[in-house]
Amino acid sequence: MTEMISVLQEERIFKPDPTLSQRAHIPDMAAYKALVVQAETDHEAYWAWEAERLISWEKKWDRVLNDDNPPFYKWFEGGRLNASVNCIDRHLGRRSDSSRSGRKNKAAIIWEGEPGDMRTITYQELANEVNKLGNVLRQMGIKKGDRVVIYMPMIPEAAFAMLACARVGAVHNIVFGGFSAEALADRIDDAKAKLVITADGGWRRGAIVPLKDAVDQALLKCDSVEKVIVVERTKQRIHMHYGRDYWYDDLVAEANIRCEPESMEAEDPLFILYTSGSTGKPKGVLHTTGGYMVNAARTTQYVFDLQEDDTYWCTADIGWITGHTYVIYGPLALGGTSLMYEGVPTAPHAGRLWEIVEKYRVNIFYTAPTAIRALSKLGDQWPQKYNMDSLRILGTVGEPINPEAWMWYYRVIGSERCPIVDTYWQTETGSICISPLPAATPIKPGSCTLPLPGMKYAVVDNDGNPVKEGNGGMLVIQRPWPSMLRTVWGDDDRYVETYFAKFGDKQFYFAGDGARMDAEGYYWVMGRVDDVINVAGHRLGTMEIESALVSHPSVAEAAVVGRPDDVKGENIFAFVVLQDISDDDFHHDALVRELRDHVTKEIGPIAKPDGIKFTDNLPKTRSGKIMRRLLRDIASGRESKGDTSTLEDSTILEQLRGS
Ligand code: PRX
């Protein structure tokens, strides 16, 4: 493979507001650089210092990093801790230990349901709920190491379920509530789960998602599950199987509020989370306890600059890694207040998120580019209805954010006052890896900027050698880090092959992204390398062409794919969603020409789309990622093979194939 060409030119730069420095954890670039030097001087000592500072250990580790058998790394071996104790017990305050801060009456979770119902759960209440459910799990025969599937809406009980599993040493495996019975069955079966925790349903866009029905269907195929716990959320009629299914409320009503936490070794599993690759069945990414907790807490503190009195809101569902690390484990480990919202951003109206920001005076807001693009398309009048001056920091995650969407977020949501932390990471990395620090890093729209201290990144060619500055290549991590995945559940070979085999003995971690580094060492992620288009021997990242398209005032969203071409190898085909979809066809012809010229002007003729198709929507996963694999099939007139079960709207393929 030749190097990738990077064509995105972005010159804007925004310096951090000096008032942010006053109480920030990392107040300026000098403080950031000092941490980088500390981590590079003695990598293990650095992580040991962070581990000691951030996490309460029952017993200190014997060894910081065991790298005797790469890539099967072990962190904090011999150390013992419990994740739920770190997220709850240590915040309650004890008279015998004056260093404990006494947050027992502080809100741990502020919850808003889609219909507008609310709950605030203090740390003491969280302790009581988690302890009760922990006892229920033990009574049901759940032991350390057993797998529990959680298939729930975004309700407080989902957080209780995660933490109760952690308390008794069970390994949770959360399946996003939007996945089908089929996808659920695969994940239950692969993990050989003994118990499922679910709800009668959840609210989504004013309708009920029938979660329990999906569990019933899935369990027709899975024989490992012995019992099901059901939370009553929507009160719709469901079928309860006698002897297998139990109501959550009945079980916890009887349970004791003291549940002894299981003493876990740092390397004992905390959770499995399935993530789909472009091929093959989903991979069960395994995270363990000690290293994951250290980096979840560290990154929440550094990247979001979480302060004691902040209201912090990460909009991710707990079914994704972002929901694990930045709704639950990170903020709660730090004793923060985490807001949870059940519904979609646009129900019952397009200002729902901004209404919640105003209502709870949210200080830190973290969401995905797909939501930002969708909301910007609905117009500035929605955010402008609400007072959002409580906001201090904005964040984004999940895919490259194109500079136009970044600017909208910065201007309209943050009033040109809030830094945007564009956080690059993956399910596999467990925590944020590359990101600005809000009070320190000058930011550039579209760049995730600099690696966090301790993270050793590089952009390399096929042989693992660094590419020239400014050139695109493959993004690798050259050294293990505490919150890295430990294996693919039940498939060590797949772990090695997928992530560590590409560069032979170098043992670099590679998880499929292309990137370039600019003269100031800033990283620009160009998207998955499978999404690269090869035009006449030049490898172009689709993201950059999409960015150019979206910078045209008529375009709301764009997805670009390669289509086989006898001459050029591949040619460029763009699916475009317009801001104003009422334009007539004649106008479209003119617009096609205009957009092609626009891309030529922005990037150059090599990136000019050969074909453009206008559409109302794009095929996306339920987490908002564009499924380019399906668009490639459509563009080249092929049948789509492979898994489409993660598609948000299954009718979209027919629409796209039509006229
Ligand atoms: O391609 C990168 C993209 O999302 C992938 C990871 O997806 P997932 O495991 O579902 O985790 C999403 C939440 C961490 C990456 O390999 N990605 C994630 N964040 C960014 C990003 N691409 C560019 N910029 C980001 N900030």
Side-chain angles (χ1 to χ4, degrees), residues 179-242:
F179 280 151
S180 63
E182 192 82 13
L184 174 64
D186 289 348
R187 287 157 176 79
I188 293 175
D189 200 45
D190 193 71
K192 296 280 174 282
K194 263 171 92 171
L195 174 75
V196 175
I197 308 180
T198 188
D200 54 354
W203 291 106
R204 194 177 156 84
R205 248 180 228 115
I208 292 174
V209 183
L211 296 167
K212 177 60 167 57
D213 293 351
V215 171
D216 291 343
Q217 263 186 56
L219 293 192
L220 294 173
K221 295 200 208 147
C222 306
D223 49 17
S224 61
V225 173
E226 293 162 9
K227 296 199 160 65
V228 178
I229 299 179
V230 187
V231 177
E232 187 175 49
R233 166 70 186 131
T234 56
K235 299 192 167 48
Q236 67 156 344
R237 277 180 71 93
I238 54 163
H239 189 71
M240 295 290 277
H241 290 242
Y242 183 76

Side-chain angles (χ1 to χ4, degrees), residues 1 4 473-474 510 512-515 527-533 539:
M1 186 190 90
M4 258 190 265
M474 284 169 283
F510 175 59
D513 288 312
R528 309 289 301 169
V529 288
D530 338 326
D531 291 338
V532 159
I533 307 181
R539 293 173 59 88

